[in-house]
Amino acid sequence: MQTTITGTLNISAPVSFSTLHLSKFISVFRKKYPEIELNIQLNDRKVDVIEEGFDVALRIGQLQSSSLVAKKIAPVRLVLCASPEYLIHNGTPSHPRELNPKHFLHYSYSSYDKTDNLLLNTLKSISQNKHPTIISNNGELLMAAAIAGEGYLVQPTFIAGHALRKGDLQIFLEDYEPEPIALYAVYPHRKLLSSKVRVFIDELSEFFGEKPYWDEF
């Protein structure tokens, strides 16, 4: 007999990813597990999972070593993009050194540490030494600025995919594209993983998977 899974699941998740994609998943998950209550807190900062009482946190990037267990959910492609109009008026660079520092739309939570990727290292130098004119901690705001022709930015495709599909943004310098990062579910190390956390992670992996739908552009 299948046991009904109940209880409150405390989740921390990134803002843009959650509003664009996690909300779709939650609807599917709730139909399968209606007895699980969800407490979802959105924040782009790195929360202390144990100290703040979360059962699981969703994180995007290259994870640092920690006492937490990490389960990879889906790959996340990072692309350099701008509006077609911007590229027409300013030219399409053929090398990262040709990027105009003043036109870089910088996501303030970006971490370009420990990378040998030329594009990311160039953007790191721009953000540290040449002061982009628009900096924000919200990727959707920066994407809107790029669509309006304000400049270029590195975006995960889970944010930019829709605009790329519509032609509002265009990828360039693909030869310098960094290796994909990933969406992870992280949770405290326990000998016995609770059923509510286990089914949440399993359903996440099945819903998004190795070929996430946001890359269909």
Side-chain angles (χ1 to χ4, degrees):
M1 295 180 64
Q2 184 176 1
T3 302
T4 300
I5 302 173
T6 63
T8 300
L9 188 59
N10 298 298
I11 304 162
S12 172
V15 177
S16 292
F17 176 80
S18 299
T19 56
L20 293 171
H21 303 288
L22 187 61
S23 54
K24 301 175 184 178
F25 164 76
I26 292 303
S27 176
V28 174
F29 181 79
R30 287 280 299 150
K31 289 177 182 177
K32 288 188 177 182
Y33 300 96
E35 299 300 319
I36 297 179
E37 299 175 356
L38 301 176
N39 173 23
I40 306 170
Q41 301 297 314
L42 304 188
N43 203 313
D44 286 333
R45 69 177 175 84
K46 184 179 178 182
V47 302
D48 188 318
V49 175
I50 297 174
E51 187 71 23
E52 299 182 44
F54 289 107
D55 297 301
V56 61
L58 302 184
R59 290 182 179 166
I60 296 168
Q62 302 288 359
L63 296 188
Q64 306 297 322
S65 59
S66 75
S67 60
L68 301 174
V69 180
K71 163 70 174 178
K72 182 180 177 182
I73 303 299
V76 174
R77 183 182 172 192
L78 297 175
V79 295
L80 182 69
C81 51
S83 71
E85 291 76 18
Y86 171 86
L87 295 174
I88 289 171
H89 293 148
N90 295 277
T92 302
S94 59
H95 191 278
R97 64 171 171 262
E98 298 174 6
L99 293 168
N100 185 331
K102 287 293 184 182
H103 295 172
F104 178 37
L105 307 174
H106 178 49
Y107 178 61
S108 55
Y109 286 149
S110 292
S111 175
Y112 301 138
D113 296 337
K114 299 179 180 179
T115 179
D116 57 2
N117 178 266
L118 179 60
L119 173 61
L120 294 185
N121 280 325
T122 300
L123 298 179
K124 178 181 179 180
S125 176
I126 289 173
S127 65
Q128 291 178 341
N129 304 314
K130 298 180 182 179
H131 308 295
T133 52
I134 300 180
I135 302 172
S136 176
N137 65 351
N138 183 266
E140 291 174 89
L141 183 150
L142 293 174
M143 182 181 68
I147 292 172
E150 293 292 337
Y152 59 88
L153 76 171
V154 169
Q155 278 283 44
T157 49
F158 68 76
I159 294 180
H162 182 65
L164 291 167
R165 188 161 49 247
K166 290 176 59 182
D168 292 336
L169 291 176
Q170 180 178 323
I171 298 173
F172 65 106
L173 291 183
E174 287 187 78
D175 290 344
Y176 299 92
E177 185 175 310
E179 289 294 315
I181 52 177
L183 168 68
Y184 293 92
V186 299
Y187 52 93
H189 181 59
R190 298 190 181 101
K191 289 184 179 180
L192 183 61
L193 185 64
S194 68
S195 297
K196 62 185 178 182
V197 174
R198 175 177 50 79
V199 296
F200 180 77
I201 293 173
D202 288 346
E203 294 292 336
L204 271 175
S205 298
E206 183 176 341
F207 189 82
F208 295 117
E210 281 301 310
K211 294 183 178 180
Y213 61 82
W214 56 70
D215 279 341
E216 295 174 0
F217 56 83

